[in-house]
Amino acid sequence: MNAKDFLKKLQPLIALVVMVVALSLLSDKFLTIANQRNILLQISVNLCLSIGMTFVILTGGIDLSVGAILALAGAVAAGLLKNGLTFKMFGVVLQFTPFGAIIAGILVGVSLGCFNGIAVTRFKLPPFVATLGMLSIARGLTMLWTGGFPVTDLGPKFGFLGAGFLLGVPMPIWISIALVAIFYVVSKNTLLGRYIYAVGGSEKATAFSGINVKRVKLWVYALAGALAAVAGLIVTARLDAADPKAGLGYELDSIAAVVIGGTSLSGGRGSIPGTVLGCLIIGVLNNGLFLLDVSPFWQQVIKGFVILAAVAADKLSAKQEP
Amino acid sequence: MAITEKNKTDIIRRFIAVAVAAFLCWLFPLFHVVPLKMAVAEKTAGKFDATAFVEKFWIEKLLPAANTAVNAKGLLAAIQASPSNAKTNYSRSVGLSDSYFYFLHGEGKIVAVSDDTVSIVVTGNSTNVEITLQTGLIFGDAIRDGTGLLHASAYPNSQDFNDISAALNHEVETKVLPKLREQAKVGARISFAGCAEVNDESSDLHPLNLIPIETKSE
Amino acid sequence: MKIKLFNLLRTVAMAMALLMTIAFAHAGEPAAKQKIAIVISTLNNPWFVVLAETAKARATELGYDATIFDSQNDTAKEASHFENLIAGGYKAVIFNPTDADGSVANVLKAKAAGIPVFCIDREINSTNAATCQMLSDSYAGCVKLGQYFVKTVGKEGNYVELLGLVGDNNTWNRSKGFHSVVDRFPGLKMVAQQSADFDRAKGLEVMESMLQAHPDIKAVFCGNDAMAMGAYQALVSAGKDKQVKVFGFDGANDVVKLISEGKIAATGMQFPKVMARTAAEYADEYLKGRRDFPQKIPVKVDLVTPENVSNYGDYGKK
């Protein structure tokens, strides 16, 4: 790695540091422990989504369905926990335990992710179209499952996932830290990780070297689905309610975090730590704009510009390479 | 086909994986099987039953309160003297609103009967209809809000509170009105109790339009 | 090396420029004022913008520093707002919840931090979380609307209904209030009932499809004025605006105007400005020591018809 690459990787970090320094000067509330914890808590959901999104984007794809899968997984878990699964034929109800509901939620995420993967690999649909379709399917299924009503009052056991504390730190933060650690190792030290980068770098070359590109992609979409489901479980547990409208537009936040973190939309370049930085930048920005009482309308404008600036910086520095 | 060494370890590995998964599921069960009847019973147990509530409320609270409601004769005189004084002394209103309710009881002579009203004169020498009792379809929240016995604050979900209003009106239609229609003969004397909502003082005070909760012929 | 340095500088410059903008927007504010947060379910609908802006204006008048938070109809975003405002040292919250059940946890968080929450317009399904809830009495309003509906449409005929968001208490309070009256008349048949999410564009779309399926309807009842406007547009372009009577709910400016022109039959006038102002005043009184607030304060909804429309203006009485 040469110095320039290194510096480029540092860009998001520098931006983050500058923001943190400036915000701590502008607001006396920013550096408080409570506020820092809030920021981490608030990015934990986006972080879960963005890890999966990073892998998808690294293969040169995109996943627009994560927000919808989030809502469906949360709703399914909440519904199974609250109402169980009724079999009228046998006159029984399968009353799910919190653990069972969590497993079921993740299974929902994995299966919809696999569906995405199959659509992209077997039916050769562009990822944008395949996952756009899934967005609509998953939203519709969520409405069907819930009837449009939020499923509430899920109990403290399940709520622990979102509202519980371990050693004074909220559970969502632990979960996202664990996921970051696991998938950092996956991206660096496993065959799957190397294959993902290879597929994104050049799909043809990877295929020629005997790697099963389709299988790598299937894995990646399934993973994105699973992580979206985890995010859905966190949101549901945090609110003690599965809102069928949950996760609207989250796919865009997640793509923004990945891009701001320096992952190239054309695939092959990027990293998990970069995405973590991207999430942190968005989180700090959101939090800072609130602390400084910026009007909600301006907040959206400013966030848009930050995304544009990040991508522009990426493009500009790519041009300077020989 | 001979089982190779590799296949063997593969099979053993899978077997172990399934065993571990089964053990975990036994330790942390994914779900319990519950008979449908029990599950349904459990679910409906916590639901608010407006009809049952109203039946109890009607006998235990509403009818006793009717005796202590403001007297019609006195109220009509007060309104005659000054509607605004009558409002401050005898009316109730709920929340932020410029309409208000009277909860009154009294007796009078039936002077006219139509499809959906019974007209009554309370003051002996009056020639105008002073009170009408509604005998058609009953709508609105006059009974719920007019007596001061029920408060929105006690109901976490307003839909429950609204259901009470519907159940009260239903009670009037099914229990009070059939009796009233029998009693309603021009010239008969009747005692009554009920609630009136006043939205517009120019039309709703003369006559007072009552939803009856109790009527007796004398 | 020059290029690298340039890269670095550019990043720093970008971040700085951004923060300068923020700082500039923030500059010159005296920090001594107490802060009140106004958390609104969505600013995508003018009705809620009126609600938010009125509360803000009244709080500012009373000497507070008021900030509007937009939850974008997302209970999770709302949760973040509550965390931020608790950490940010806000003293009171004027709150328009996204969800009757889902928002309870957020209010409890504020309560635990000792911050009073005043709900406006929409309720939360709890009576021990918020300090006070000021709620439009949608049900009673729609009972009146239903009675007027029967009076103008008659006791026979087909009609359709546009529902709001199906998960919203207000959607059902309105629909139930309306049906508690209209369903008593067996001659009035609801031939279709669809959700248009309180949205004008959706109202237009859904109404267009409904007109295809049921060309013979006499009226449409809409859960809010945005949908009523959408439905009215659909009727105009189908040439059926004379045949089909439109009933809305909210009291938005354009609907009130159309009622005065006799083009829309009626609407329920809610009083967002009254609610918002009262909430700001209550927050002020709370911070000055008052504690005896009623849990729920129903706010009356007025029926606006061509006969009395001259008394009403944009979101309130003239």
Side-chain angles (χ1 to χ4, degrees):
Chain A
M1 187 197 291
N2 62 26
K4 197 159 80 186
D5 267 1
F6 184 64
L7 202 61
K8 226 189 115 211
K9 282 206 170 137
L10 275 186
Q11 267 187 9
L13 184 61
I14 295 164
L16 179 65
V17 170
V18 171
M19 280 171 66
V20 167
V21 171
L23 278 172
S24 38
L25 293 177
L26 284 170
S27 166
D28 55 341
K29 292 289 189 314
F30 179 75
L31 272 187
T32 57
I33 289 177
N35 192 50
Q36 295 300 312
R37 204 176 63 190
N38 278 351
I39 295 176
L40 289 181
L41 194 57
Q42 284 158 21
I43 67 166
S44 56
V45 168
N46 195 14
L47 203 49
C48 287
L49 295 178
S50 301
I51 293 169
M53 187 68 81
T54 308
F55 286 139
V56 172
I57 292 181
L58 276 174
T59 65
I62 194 104
D63 189 346
L64 299 179
S65 64
V66 288
I69 293 181
L70 173 152
L72 181 60
V76 167
L80 290 178
L81 188 62
K82 184 84 194 280
N83 305 325
L85 200 58
T86 309
F87 290 97
K88 276 218 178 102
M89 264 189 292
F90 308 113
V92 293
V93 176
L94 300 187
Q95 199 62 58
F96 277 63
T97 59
F99 181 65
I102 290 168
I103 300 287
I106 293 175
L107 278 180
V108 165
V110 171
S111 9
L112 296 195
C114 281
F115 192 96
N116 276 336
I118 291 167
V120 169
T121 55
R122 298 268 171 249
F123 300 103
K124 306 235 173 353
L125 297 179
F128 187 91
V129 177
T131 58
L132 190 62
M134 178 51 72
L135 185 157
S136 187
I137 293 170
R139 279 269 161 234
L141 289 176
T142 312
M143 293 312 258
L144 280 174
W145 175 260
T146 59
F149 289 95
V151 186
T152 56
D153 197 13
L154 306 172
K157 268 191 190 156
F158 183 77
F160 183 75
L161 201 61
F165 286 84
L166 201 65
L167 305 175
V169 177
M171 279 307 286
I173 300 182
W174 284 117
I175 296 170
S176 52
I177 288 176
L179 290 175
V180 165
I182 293 169
F183 288 102
Y184 178 66
V185 172
V186 167
S187 74
K188 285 284 167 192
N189 300 339
T190 64
L191 273 181
L192 179 66
R194 260 172 271 157
Y195 289 170
I196 289 171
Y197 278 94
V199 169
S202 165
E203 208 171 312
K204 271 186 192 156
T206 316
F208 275 129
S209 64
I211 296 169
N212 187 341
V213 173
K214 284 182 178 171
R215 185 179 270 180
V216 172
K217 285 193 173 176
L218 192 63
W219 264 99
V220 163
Y221 283 97
L223 198 63
L227 287 165
V230 173
L233 293 171
I234 294 179
V235 172
T236 306
R238 223 153 91 74
L239 299 172
D240 194 23
D243 183 355
K245 309 186 295 291
L248 271 181
Y250 281 23
E251 56 280 352
L252 301 179
D253 277 355
S254 149
I255 294 169
V258 172
V259 169
I260 290 173
T263 298
S264 160
L265 275 174
S266 45
R269 269 188 310 123
S271 68
I272 295 290
T275 296
V276 174
L277 284 176
C279 287
L280 276 170
I281 288 176
I282 292 186
V284 168
L285 188 66
N286 271 335
N287 178 265
L289 292 171
F290 284 128
L291 286 184
L292 298 181
D293 293 350
V294 178
S295 120
F297 298 130
W298 274 110
Q299 289 186 17
Q300 299 185 24
V301 175
I302 292 171
K303 268 187 262 175
F305 272 115
V306 171
I307 296 167
L308 289 184
V311 184
D314 182 59
K315 287 273 178 210
L316 283 177
S317 43
K319 254 188 207 159
Q320 282 161 14
E321 277 162 21
Chain B
M1 202 169 79
I3 295 171
T4 61
E5 208 46 32
K6 189 171 173 291
N7 268 346
K8 218 185 218 168
T9 50
D10 234 34
I11 289 167
I12 292 173
R13 230 190 252 163
R14 272 181 204 175
F15 183 75
I16 292 175
V18 169
V20 168
F23 179 69
L24 279 177
C25 284
W26 178 71
L27 264 187
F28 307 101
L30 295 181
F31 49 78
H32 305 287
V33 179
V34 181
L36 186 58
K37 273 183 200 158
M38 245 167 78
V40 170
E42 221 170 85
K43 243 185 175 174
T44 45
K47 278 228 171 102
F48 179 74
D49 182 353
T51 315
F53 172 85
V54 161
E55 268 167 22
K56 195 156 166 259
F57 169 80
W58 194 275
I59 294 165
E60 289 177 6
K61 298 262 177 66
L62 189 62
L63 292 183
N67 299 322
T68 60
V70 58
N71 186 282
K73 223 174 227 173
L75 178 64
L76 288 169
I79 292 173
Q80 200 64 42
S82 154
S84 63
N85 280 350
K87 181 182 169 186
T88 31
N89 291 334
Y90 301 114
S91 83
R92 270 191 197 87
S93 65
V94 178
L96 295 175
S97 162
D98 49 11
S99 63
Y100 55 92
F101 303 96
Y102 285 119
F103 180 30
L104 61 155
H105 80 291
E107 51 190 66
K109 198 174 85 181
I110 297 177
V111 292
V113 176
S114 77
D115 273 355
D116 48 12
T117 52
V118 171
S119 307
I120 296 176
V121 170
V122 174
T123 322
N125 51 6
S126 175
T127 48
N128 293 331
V129 173
E130 292 168 309
I131 282 174
T132 53
L133 300 178
Q134 299 182 30
T135 55
L137 296 173
I138 303 294
F139 301 116
D141 301 322
I143 301 180
R144 186 192 67 186
D145 294 342
T147 60
L149 297 170
L150 295 166
H151 300 279
S153 299
Y155 301 87
N157 190 333
S158 290
Q159 293 185 39
D160 292 343
F161 194 54
N162 292 333
D163 287 343
I164 290 180
S165 193
L168 283 168
N169 292 345
H170 185 253
E171 192 82 1
V172 172
E173 287 179 9
T174 53
K175 302 265 169 71
V176 181
L177 297 188
K179 226 170 81 190
L180 174 59
R181 288 198 198 100
E182 273 175 31
Q183 299 159 346
K185 297 195 177 67
V186 176
R189 284 195 71 79
I190 192 171
S191 75
F192 57 88
C195 298
E197 179 177 359
V198 181
N199 276 313
D200 178 354
E201 289 189 348
S202 64
S203 63
D204 293 349
L205 289 177
H206 309 287
L208 270 176
N209 196 5
L210 238 63
I211 297 178
I213 59 172
E214 195 182 25
T215 57
K216 279 190 201 110
S217 51
E218 297 187 339
Chain C
M1 188 61 205
K2 252 183 196 165
I3 290 170
K4 282 178 229 158
L5 202 63
F6 173 67
N7 253 339
L8 175 70
L9 280 176
R10 196 177 50 208
T11 315
V12 175
M14 235 154 41
M16 284 309 289
L18 174 69
L19 281 158
M20 293 290 277
T21 346
I22 302 169
F24 186 68
H26 182 59
E29 294 263 330
K33 283 183 183 170
Q34 284 185 310
K35 294 196 289 183
I36 290 183
I38 300 158
V39 183
I40 298 289
S41 62
T42 174
L43 293 178
N44 247 341
N45 176 334
W47 197 89
F48 291 103
V49 178
V50 169
L51 196 69
E53 294 291 347
T54 314
K56 181 173 179 166
R58 186 68 186 131
T60 313
E61 241 171 65
L62 291 167
Y64 295 92
D65 204 351
T67 312
I68 297 172
F69 295 77
D70 178 7
S71 310
Q72 298 174 4
N73 267 336
D74 180 346
T75 317
K77 283 213 176 79
E78 187 180 277
S80 304
H81 290 335
F82 269 83
E83 285 153 7
N84 286 336
L85 67 90
I86 291 168
Y90 284 83
K91 296 293 178 222
V93 186
I94 294 169
F95 180 39
N96 173 240
T98 53
D99 184 272
D101 287 309
S103 297
V104 176
N106 294 334
V107 178
L108 285 173
K109 248 183 263 169
K111 191 189 180 191
I115 301 170
V117 177
F118 300 85
C119 291
I120 43 176
D121 175 47
R122 292 177 172 180
E123 73 177 331
I124 52 169
N125 287 344
S126 166
T127 44
N128 54 15
T131 308
C132 170
Q133 305 188 51
M134 238 161 292
L135 311 168
S136 247
D137 198 348
S138 295
Y139 182 87
C142 282
V143 167
K144 283 186 206 137
L145 204 59
Q147 286 173 279
Y148 187 74
F149 183 95
V150 176
K151 209 164 115 190
T152 48
V153 177
K155 291 181 179 172
E156 265 170 27
N158 293 342
Y159 69 95
V160 294
E161 179 181 2
L162 298 187
L163 291 167
L165 290 164
V166 284
D168 191 307
N169 271 15
N170 272 337
T171 301
W172 297 110
N173 282 337
R174 291 173 195 176
S175 182
K176 276 187 178 177
F178 175 78
H179 283 288
S180 77
V181 178
V182 177
D183 288 2
R184 306 297 302 279
F185 298 89
L188 284 168
K189 283 203 184 69
M190 181 171 71
V191 289
Q193 183 186 42
Q194 285 284 334
S195 168
D197 296 349
F198 288 136
D199 185 89
R200 186 169 177 153
K202 266 226 168 127
L204 174 79
E205 248 171 62
V206 173
M207 193 67 213
E208 279 169 350
S209 330
M210 281 178 164
L211 280 175
Q212 293 303 315
H214 310 284
D216 60 335
I217 53 172
K218 283 171 80 178
V220 51
F221 170 64
C222 306
N224 80 344
D225 276 350
M227 295 192 293
M229 284 306 293
Y232 177 71
Q233 301 295 349
L235 288 167
V236 168
S237 54
K240 296 200 163 173
D241 50 316
K242 297 277 187 308
Q243 171 200 329
V244 182
K245 291 196 166 66
V246 181
F247 294 79
F249 196 88
D250 267 355
N253 202 14
D254 31 11
V255 167
V256 170
K257 191 165 158 282
L258 285 177
I259 290 175
S260 68
E261 292 167 14
K263 289 175 177 163
I264 282 185
T267 189
M269 172 63 75
Q270 305 197 73
F271 296 96
K273 291 177 179 170
V274 174
M275 281 189 276
R277 263 197 298 271
T278 317
E281 281 155 18
Y282 277 14
D284 176 51
E285 285 168 23
Y286 183 96
L287 295 175
K288 287 180 178 150
R290 180 179 164 191
R291 288 294 180 274
D292 58 325
F293 294 97
Q295 175 59 224
K296 288 195 177 181
I297 303 179
V299 180
K300 197 193 158 202
V301 173
D302 282 3
L303 180 67
V304 181
T305 64
E307 291 92 58
N308 70 0
V309 66
S310 53
N311 299 332
Y312 296 91
D314 189 10
Y315 300 115
K317 257 187 179 151
K318 265 182 194 158

